[in-house]
Amino acid sequence: MISIFDLAALLLTLSALFGWLNRRFLRMPHTIGLLVMGLLASLALVGLDLAFPSQHLYEDLTKVLSQVDFTDVVMNGMLAFLLFAGAMSLDLRMLRDRAWPVATLALFGTLISTAIVGGAFWLAADLIGRPVPLPWALVFGALISPTDPVAVLATLKNVKVPETLEVEMQGEALFNDGIGIVLFTVLVAFASDSGGEATTSGGIATLLLQEAGGGLILGVVTGYVAYRAMRAIDDFPVEVLITLALVAGTYALAQKLHFSGPLAVVAAGLLVGDRAPRDAMSEKTQGYVSALWTLIDEVLNSVLFLLIGLEVLVLRFEANGLVLAACAVPMVLIARLVAVSAPLLTFRWGGNLSARNVPFLTWAGVRGGISVALALSIPESDAKPAILAATYAVVLFTIIVQGSTLGMVARRTLREG
C-alpha cells in the first residue's frame, strides 16, 4: 500500500513528463495531449502485459491506480477549485447580459438532451441484444448531457471565438453540471428502487430548489463575506489565503447542508471575481491572486486529464458493451444538436444568437471528468458496465476529436462579432 504522497508524486511526475514530451514532440493542446499520452501509456501497458505476462506490469500499476478513488478525487477535491478558477475569470456583467440564453441552455438543454440520449440508449441497447432498463438509460442521459465545465474551459483556451458566445458557453458549462447532478441523483434513486418521495414531481422540485437554490444563495453569502474581509485589509498573503479558504469552506459547507457544492463555488467565484478587483484588492494582490488561480487551474487540469487517460487500466469493459459504447457517440451529438437548436427556434433570444453558431455550439459540447466520476459512482448493477463503457467512449471522443478540431469548426462556422 503506497501513501497519498507517493500517489500525488507519481501523478505530478507523469503530468510533468508527458506535458514536456507533448510540448516537445506532439504539440497538441496541453490537456488533450496529456489525455492522449495517458491513454497510449495505458494501452501500451496492456499490450506489454499480454506479451510478457510473467512481469505483472499491468497488475502492479493497476493496484496503484485502484487506490485513487476517481469519483472522490474529482467531485470532492479538484472540482471545487477548478470551478472557482473558471468563475473568477468570467465577466459577470457580460454574463448578466446573456443570462437568458445561458439559463435556457443550462436547464432546458440539459433536460432535452437527457430525454433524447436516455431514450436512444435504451432502444439501441435492446436492438443489439444488450438490454439496459429505461431508468438506467436515463441515468446515462443525465450524467452525459451536461457539458463539463473543466473540459470546456480547457478547450476554449485554444480556440478564438466571439466574446459573447464564449461567455454563453462558459456560463452554460459552469451552471449545467449542477442541474445534471440533481437529475442524476433523482434518476439513480428511481432506477435503484430507493427513490421514495424524492422521485415524485414534488420531491424532484424540492430537491432541485434545495440543491440549486441553496447552493447559489450559500455561494453569494460566503462570497460576500470573503469580499468584505478582503476589502478591510491590504495584505496579499492573507487575501490569497481567504480565496483558498472560501473555496474549500463553501464546498464543504454545501455538502453538509445538502446543497449543490459546484453551484455554490461558482456563485462565490463570480461575486469575488467581479467585485474584489474593483475595490477590495490592490494591483499587487490582484496579480498574486490571478497567478495563484491560473496555476491551480493548470496543474489540476493536467492531473485530471492524465487520470482520465490512465483510468482505462482500472475500468473493466465487456466486449458486447463496446458496440453500444460506439453508438453512444452519435446519440450524444444528435441530442446536443437538438438541445442547442430547440431553445434557439423557440425563443430566438432577441436575435443575439445566430443559427450559424449552432454547429459550433454542438461540436463544443465537450464532456470530461465529471461524467466519468458520476458513472463510476453508480451502484453496482447489470447496467453499470454498459454505462461506464459508453461514458468513457463519449468522453474520449469529445475531448480528443471534438476538442482538437474545435478551432477549425470555429473558423468555418462562426460569424464575426
Side-chain angles (χ1 to χ4, degrees):
M1 180 71 69
I2 66 174
S3 68
I4 294 176
F5 180 82
D6 292 335
L7 279 173
L10 174 64
L11 291 173
L12 287 171
T13 302
L14 286 176
S15 297
L17 174 61
F18 288 171
W20 184 87
L21 290 172
N22 175 62
R23 183 69 179 172
R24 185 73 176 82
F25 301 108
L26 297 182
R27 297 190 178 277
M28 299 177 71
H30 177 65
T31 50
I32 297 175
L34 282 173
L35 186 150
V36 170
M37 295 191 74
L39 182 61
L40 291 176
S42 299
L43 295 176
L45 281 171
V46 172
L48 285 172
D49 189 68
L50 292 173
F52 307 102
S54 61
Q55 299 301 313
H56 304 294
L57 295 173
Y58 174 83
E59 182 181 345
D60 291 342
L61 190 55
T62 300
K63 285 180 180 177
V64 174
L65 289 174
S66 64
Q67 294 182 46
V68 180
D69 186 334
F70 190 90
T71 302
D72 192 52
V73 166
V74 174
M75 303 303 291
N76 299 323
M78 295 182 176
L79 185 59
F81 294 92
L82 288 167
L83 288 179
F84 185 83
M88 281 272 288
S89 65
L90 193 58
D91 190 324
L92 184 58
R93 281 168 288 187
M94 288 192 68
L95 182 62
R96 278 197 291 258
D97 292 338
R98 310 299 294 170
W100 178 241
V102 167
T104 306
L105 279 173
L107 178 58
F108 295 108
T110 302
L111 292 172
I112 291 169
S113 178
T114 297
I116 294 173
V117 172
F121 193 72
W122 174 61
L123 291 172
D126 194 52
L127 286 174
I128 67 173
R130 178 64 173 84
V132 173
L134 181 58
W136 285 115
L138 289 171
V139 167
F140 171 67
L143 70 87
I144 208 67
S145 289
T147 54
D148 188 293
V150 179
V152 169
L153 293 173
T155 303
L156 281 175
K157 293 175 184 176
N158 309 299
V159 181
K160 183 177 176 62
V161 299
E163 196 173 13
T164 54
L165 185 58
E166 183 175 351
V167 167
E168 285 174 11
M169 290 177 60
Q170 290 177 329
E172 178 203 4
L174 287 169
F175 285 105
N176 69 5
D177 66 302
I179 304 299
I181 290 171
V182 173
L183 268 179
F184 171 82
T185 303
V186 172
L187 289 170
V188 166
F190 180 75
S192 57
D193 296 323
S194 61
E197 294 183 1
T199 54
T200 65
S201 58
I204 293 172
T206 302
L207 183 61
L208 181 62
L209 182 62
Q210 175 182 322
E211 288 261 349
L216 291 171
I217 293 171
L218 175 64
V220 170
V221 171
T222 57
Y224 184 76
V225 170
Y227 155 72
R228 295 295 299 185
M230 295 166 74
R231 189 179 178 186
I233 61 173
D234 182 17
D235 187 354
F236 77 85
V238 177
E239 292 177 74
V240 166
L241 188 58
I242 287 172
T243 63
L244 290 168
L246 171 62
V247 179
T250 299
Y251 200 87
L253 184 58
Q255 289 182 311
K256 295 296 183 185
L257 297 175
H258 302 291
F259 294 162
S260 171
L263 289 179
V265 295
V266 166
L270 287 172
L271 189 147
V272 171
D274 177 64
R275 302 196 66 169
R278 283 189 277 165
D279 57 7
M281 290 193 293
S282 65
E283 189 173 332
K284 184 178 182 180
T285 300
Q286 287 183 50
Y288 278 104
V289 169
S290 176
L292 171 73
W293 285 101
T294 299
L295 184 62
I296 288 174
D297 186 48
E298 292 293 340
V299 172
L300 291 185
N301 260 313
S302 298
V303 175
L304 175 58
F305 280 79
L306 174 67
L307 267 176
I308 294 173
L310 293 175
E311 272 294 295
V312 75
L313 286 172
V314 181
L315 302 179
R316 292 287 182 267
F317 300 128
E318 296 178 355
N320 61 355
L322 296 180
V323 176
L324 184 58
C327 293
V329 174
M331 289 177 204
V332 172
L333 277 173
I334 292 170
R336 174 68 179 171
L337 175 62
V338 175
V340 170
S341 304
L344 170 66
L345 295 173
T346 304
F347 301 109
R348 297 287 178 179
W349 293 336
N352 289 327
L353 182 60
S354 169
R356 291 178 59 190
N357 295 337
V358 168
F360 175 77
L361 284 171
T362 301
W363 201 244
V366 183
R367 278 72 174 182
I370 294 176
S371 293
V372 176
L374 290 176
L376 287 168
S377 72
I378 293 173
E380 292 300 326
S381 68
D382 292 339
K384 184 172 182 177
I387 292 174
L388 241 133
T391 302
Y392 211 75
V394 171
V395 167
L396 289 180
F397 182 86
T398 59
I399 293 176
I400 297 174
V401 179
Q402 292 175 221
S404 59
T405 57
L406 198 57
M408 179 184 67
V409 174
R411 289 189 294 272
R412 293 189 177 185
T413 64
L414 292 183
R415 62 178 182 176
E416 293 297 323

